Amino acid sequence: MHDERTRIEERVQRAHEQRIKPAIYAATVPFEVEAWQAPGEPVSFEEAAAARYEPFAMHTPWGPPWGTTWFRMRGQVPAEWAGKRVEAVIDLGFVGDWPGNQAEALVHLVDGRPLKAVNPLNQYVPVANPATGGEQIDYLVEAASNPDILKDNFSRITPMGDKLTAGSAPLYTFQRADLAVLDEEVFHLDLDLQVLRELMVHLPDHEPRRHEILHALDRAMDALDLDDVAGSAAAVREVLAPVLAKPAHASAHTISGVGHAHIDSAWLWPIRETKRKTSRTFSNVTALADEYEDFIFACSQAQQYEWVRDNYPHVWARIQDSVKKGQWAPVGGMWVEADGNLPGGEAMARQLIHGKRFFIEHFGIETKGVWLPDSFGYTAAYPQLAKLAGNDWFLTQKISWNQTNKFPHHTFWWEGIDGTRIFTHFPPVDTYNARFSGEEMDRAVRNYSEKGGGTRSLAPFGWGDGGGGPTREIMERARRLADLEGSPKVVVEHPDDFFAQARAEYPDAPVWVGELYLELHRATYTSQARTKQGNRRSEHKLREAELWATTAALHAPGYAYPYEKLDRLWKTVLLHQFHDILPGSSIAWVHREAEAEYARVAEELEALTAEAVAALGAGSTRAFNTSPYDRSEVVRTADQALAYVEVPANGSAPLAGAGPAQPVRVTGRVLDNGLVRVSVAEDGTLESVLDLRAGREVLASAGNLLRLHTDLPNYWDAWDIDSHYRNRYTDLLEASAIEVVSEDPLEGAIRVTRSFGKGSTITQTISVRADSPRIDFATEIDWHEAEKILKAAFPVDVRAAHSSAEIQFGHVQRPTHTNTTWESARFEVSGHRWVHIAEPGYGVAVLNDSTYGHDVSRTVREDGGTTTTVRLSLVRAPRIPDPEADQGKHRFTYSLLPGASIEDTVAEGYSLNLPLRVADAAGAPEPVVSVDGEHVTVEAVKLADDESGDVVVRLYESGGGRATGVLRTGFPLAGAQVTDLLERPLEDAGVEDGGVPVSLRPFQVLTLRLRRA
């Protein structure tokens, strides 16, 4: 047989694209269209319905950036269309084929009920099937003219990311608004051809099946009447039916298709637009569920459900109906799909708590898995927290984006820092926006790492990132691929069903221990520093408000615990931990609003805490310690005077008391408090840090060396920092001023000021306080650089085999060498409040109050000694998608802690992030809780969410070893229970001698519910 593949493939392609697709709609009549441009921000349907509309012609430009135009569309179904399937077809002037980042619209009936959305890949709205003829159609269409920020694939700087800079010129040209007859035979022929052509081209040349399909397609084209596609479509389908009917091989891979619509809660659009995106996508999904009984849609992010509930009650009712029918599957059990590294431990717990509670309350469903496809790496704390929240499985996709190393598993057990394991899956289709294309099906099978152990994988299908969701075309593909020779078998099912079957067939799946580090997007630990600082401050202020509100509720008659306010504030903070807000990868509008939200949160939490403290009564000036560790330190009072105070963990003490053991002495550029002696060099770096207790020099060379690197990644400016950034830099060694600013016996301080770059300045106050080895660097930066990153380096004379960085409820160890590509790829890593390095017998920590990114490396000196260098990433200057990212003023503090054990480091990390509060109060009561026992660390103290008055305490083992202790209360205790994260009882905790004995494995998290007598 002659090889005619090229001729046949080209023949089929042309006939398909130029004849068959245009024939899908057999007849059309245009709508009569009028328009009204809403002023400013979006308006309600009621306001839009009452507006005055003007005639609007097709092919007319419309839509300023971030604007909303309402279109009124009126039409009548022709009488001759009776018995046919009629749809409205609307093309707003869509650009490209991505639904999420351009024009979108929600179509309403005139009574306000949303029908369905339209976007580039879903342009139809059902009208009648079958039509009777003569139906009057009257729609109000809310069209959003969102700019295409993704234009040019993020290669160009654009002002379109904020309505303040985007201008007002129209972005789109309206193309089409018609009533149309859908020719169902041609529609199905189009799908038959798509599936067969794509399957064919991805089969190997030597496969007989490829040639069988090829020649069937050739015969089908012979049956096609090019002058009467509709009339011949059935005959063409009849030719193709035998090749579509051949069943899959018995050993064919099975793909569990799960409908999905990844909607970033903010990214290249503001939060207000996401609220509308949810209504559009969820309208489409519920409409599709009405059409396809076998359709199942998995949807996470309780916050998005709440937006729909509050703003689109008709859509909310349709969702509830779909859930009852089993077609809509709430998943994920988190408030939002949060960043996987940066939220604090308690915040990550609250993500799971608030998310799961929402689904239980509103649907009676307890989600069983963590659905987090698109975050930039995943903390090793996740397995334990997920299990403590009642989850059985974990799903993600993003690790497939690794730059250097291919992750070795798709189905595996993931083991966290405490030893907890959770069954985990990475879809080998390598996308969470699948459409069941031939290329995707081929990739899923080729890519699947578990061949011989497992036989199935999961594919989330539907258009996403900016929403859109599954379409009828994707569902039709799934039906054709359910049992088709040459293809994996596709079954649309609930993700819980997939995980149950995958676990049953592969119970001895391999184990991955530790963090799931993404070898990409490492700059998300640093970009948009003010957003990250707002998150860190909010997390700690929430802890503070809950502790003192609990104290007041227990001891202040008449005080009412602010359940509703704390719940609302937590949800605001959780929202902003979304994986494109907290990482700093959103447009300017998003981060401008985030900073304002954090300021409002801080103001409200400050008021709540002050109210709780005031409820304890007036009396003397006291210091309040929110930290879980006793503190003896210097504090600044309201009149800026310094005082020394000793305060118990979670308690308070009067300022009057014993003084420090030794005063601070300032001599020239030397600060000495008897514990450390810090010498500042003429260039403003640290030339020496002597640990007087250990009798050793801490630094191997200049400390607090500020280095400005060129930072232009190959792609994705806000997301990425590539290893070549290290090759070009400038050390900031010129100080414009060095001056002593405090010689107080309680605090010595030297201020260093530098100017550099394009008009940037950095002022650092280096301070040492009495009775503390900690050296603080209070930093103010006025930042005007572009495509740069600023790092602060501490080269320490310690031979550390690994660094330890705090994560949620513990810490992870990372090698300081680069023996393998896995280690080399971790040239930038994340941590929370501290990084610790040590050799046997001596350790040093670097602490921070708002940064996350850092790197640790080591070199061997000529004298044979080893220098281990810790470098904090302070601030970046990416220009895409926010051209003004990080510009302006920043204030934060980081610290060097010589001679530090892990326990010292944990305590000082809390201390730096939870400053003592000074307030007028009466003799305060005993701390709500206190703990006897090393490394048993209290993370949260609050009243139970069910408003029973029980006290809930969350604690964990913080040292990485076993710990025992006794939890004691400052109130009469009647009983104690161990609970899950949702405060549901697991077992009796037991009370002995008025306290609760605790025994913890390494990094174990324990939640106790304490009943008051």
Side-chain angles (χ1 to χ4, degrees), residues 87-374:
E87 298 177 344
V89 183
I90 300 169
D91 182 348
L92 300 171
F94 301 119
V95 294
D97 61 357
W98 185 33
N101 194 42
Q102 56 168 294
E104 301 176 73
L106 182 61
V107 180
H108 301 76
L109 294 174
V110 291
D111 63 4
R113 282 179 293 160
L115 279 180
K116 186 177 171 295
V118 292
N119 62 50
L121 297 162
N122 202 339
Q123 298 183 16
Y124 76 96
V125 178
V127 172
N129 185 23
T132 58
E135 292 96 334
Q136 296 288 336
I137 309 301
D138 194 349
Y139 292 151
L140 276 174
V141 180
E142 180 189 24
S145 48
N146 301 328
D148 182 9
I149 305 294
L150 191 60
K151 186 178 181 181
D152 302 317
N153 198 28
F154 284 110
S155 63
R156 295 186 183 177
I157 297 165
T158 175
M160 288 290 181
D162 197 326
K163 64 178 180 178
L164 302 180
T165 58
S168 58
L171 295 175
Y172 300 99
T173 300
F174 211 122
Q175 296 296 322
R176 180 181 187 184
D178 295 330
L179 283 168
V181 173
L182 178 73
D183 188 316
E184 295 189 69
E185 200 70 53
V186 178
F187 170 78
H188 284 289
L189 173 58
D190 171 55
L191 270 301
D192 291 346
L193 287 171
Q194 286 185 47
V195 168
L196 287 172
R197 284 178 60 199
E198 292 176 6
L199 172 61
M200 176 186 70
V201 300
H202 286 96
L203 286 170
D205 286 344
H206 66 269
E207 281 286 342
R209 176 66 165 162
R210 174 169 181 150
H211 298 273
E212 178 187 33
I213 295 172
L214 179 77
H215 288 282
L217 290 172
D218 197 26
R219 292 193 301 274
M221 293 303 97
D222 291 339
L224 179 68
D225 185 341
L226 297 178
D227 296 321
D228 185 11
V229 172
S232 59
V236 178
R237 295 193 69 206
E238 190 173 338
V239 174
L240 296 175
V243 288
L244 281 167
K246 285 202 169 183
H249 297 304
S251 59
H253 184 75
T254 298
I255 292 178
S256 296
V258 179
H260 185 45
H262 186 68
I263 306 177
D264 287 318
S265 289
W267 180 29
L268 305 179
W269 47 84
I271 286 172
R272 70 92 149 138
E273 195 57 30
T274 314
K275 294 177 181 179
R276 301 202 293 179
K277 283 178 175 290
T278 57
S279 69
R280 298 176 198 132
T281 295
F282 295 170
S283 295
N284 286 352
V285 168
T286 51
L288 194 65
D290 290 340
E291 191 172 353
Y292 291 87
E293 291 184 356
D294 53 337
F295 173 59
I296 294 177
F297 178 72
C299 185
S300 66
Q301 304 198 79
Q303 171 69 86
Q304 295 184 3
Y305 286 77
E306 185 174 83
W307 284 333
V308 173
R309 183 198 68 189
D310 294 346
N311 297 295
Y312 298 91
H314 293 293
V315 180
W316 174 248
R318 286 159 60 180
I319 291 172
Q320 290 181 308
D321 186 55
S322 292
V323 171
K324 290 176 184 176
K325 291 178 180 178
Q327 292 184 283
W328 186 297
V331 295
M334 297 176 69
W335 192 247
V336 296
E337 289 184 10
D339 181 84
N341 288 310
L342 305 181
E346 187 60 24
M348 191 162 279
R350 302 297 176 100
Q351 287 283 359
L352 293 160
I353 292 165
H354 284 291
K356 293 202 57 144
R357 279 220 185 104
F358 184 92
F359 296 131
I360 291 170
E361 177 183 350
H362 293 286
F363 301 114
I365 290 174
E366 179 162 357
T367 56
K368 291 298 182 183
V370 177
W371 180 280
L372 196 56
D374 182 29

Side-chain angles (χ1 to χ4, degrees), residues 398-692:
K398 204 71 173 189
I399 300 298
S400 67
W401 288 39
N402 272 4
Q403 273 183 323
T404 306
N405 298 285
K406 178 178 171 60
F407 194 82
H409 311 300
H410 285 105
T411 300
F412 60 100
W413 290 97
W414 180 19
E415 181 178 312
I417 53 173
D418 72 310
T420 298
R421 292 180 177 179
I422 191 165
F423 197 72
T424 301
H425 182 68
F426 288 167
V429 71
D430 278 359
T431 179
Y432 47 81
N433 297 324
R435 59 186 184 89
F436 298 131
S437 69
E439 191 275 332
E440 288 172 348
M441 298 298 92
D442 179 61
R443 179 171 67 240
V445 175
R446 282 187 294 104
N447 205 22
Y448 185 58
S449 301
E450 317 308 325
K451 296 181 185 76
T455 64
R456 62 186 64 241
S457 65
L458 186 146
F461 67 87
W463 303 104
D465 286 333
T471 62
R472 62 185 178 188
E473 290 80 7
I474 301 177
M475 279 300 298
E476 290 293 340
R477 286 171 173 268
R479 287 181 167 181
R480 286 162 175 78
L481 295 170
D483 192 14
L484 182 62
E485 183 187 354
S487 171
K489 294 179 284 188
V490 172
V491 55
V492 177
E493 63 181 348
H494 195 294
D496 285 349
D497 295 333
F498 162 77
F499 274 95
Q501 295 170 83
R503 182 171 174 174
E505 76 168 2
Y506 201 23
D508 58 345
V511 177
W512 181 268
V513 178
E515 66 183 326
L516 294 174
Y517 176 86
L518 177 63
E519 296 174 0
L520 193 72
H521 293 357
R522 303 166 181 91
T524 58
Y525 315 145
T526 306
S527 295
Q528 298 284 5
R530 284 183 292 268
T531 297
K532 290 175 170 59
Q533 185 176 70
N535 174 73
R536 180 79 69 85
R537 295 281 191 275
S538 297
E539 289 178 347
H540 288 81
K541 285 183 177 294
L542 280 161
R543 173 198 180 100
E544 186 178 29
E546 286 184 336
L547 174 64
W548 301 115
T550 302
T551 306
L554 293 175
H555 298 290
Y559 176 82
Y561 189 85
Y563 291 101
E564 184 279 328
K565 291 180 180 178
L566 288 169
D567 181 80
R568 174 173 46 80
L569 290 166
W570 261 116
K571 287 175 179 175
T572 299
V573 174
L574 298 180
L575 165 61
H576 288 85
Q577 292 177 341
F578 179 76
H579 65 251
D580 276 308
I581 303 179
L582 183 52
S585 48
S586 290
I587 56 173
W589 190 346
V590 173
H591 292 289
R592 173 169 58 81
E593 289 192 332
E595 290 176 35
E597 279 293 287
Y598 284 131
R600 284 191 286 271
V601 167
E603 182 178 9
E604 194 166 349
L605 285 171
E606 184 67 27
L608 287 178
T609 303
E611 180 183 353
V613 170
L616 296 172
S620 60
T621 303
R622 301 179 68 87
F624 290 79
N625 176 17
T626 310
S627 163
Y629 290 88
D630 297 342
R631 290 159 74 169
S632 302
E633 65 183 62
V634 175
V635 65
R636 195 171 294 277
T637 63
D639 60 1
Q640 298 303 300
L642 294 172
Y644 182 84
V645 66
E646 297 177 351
V647 199
N650 304 310
S652 71
L655 290 190
Q662 298 185 60
V664 179
R665 298 183 300 276
V666 181
T667 308
R669 295 193 306 274
V670 178
L671 308 173
D672 188 331
N673 67 355
L675 302 176
V676 292
R677 183 179 301 141
V678 180
S679 300
V680 179
E682 291 183 356
D683 59 13
T685 61
L686 302 187
E687 63 182 6
S688 173
V689 173
L690 282 173
D691 185 339
L692 300 175

Side-chain angles (χ1 to χ4, degrees), residues 550 553-555 563 943 948-951 971-975 1010-1013:
T550 302
L554 293 175
H555 298 290
Y563 291 101
L943 289 191
S948 63
D950 290 351
V951 175
F971 56 89
L973 182 63
L1010 309 175
R1011 191 171 72 255
R1012 291 186 277 163

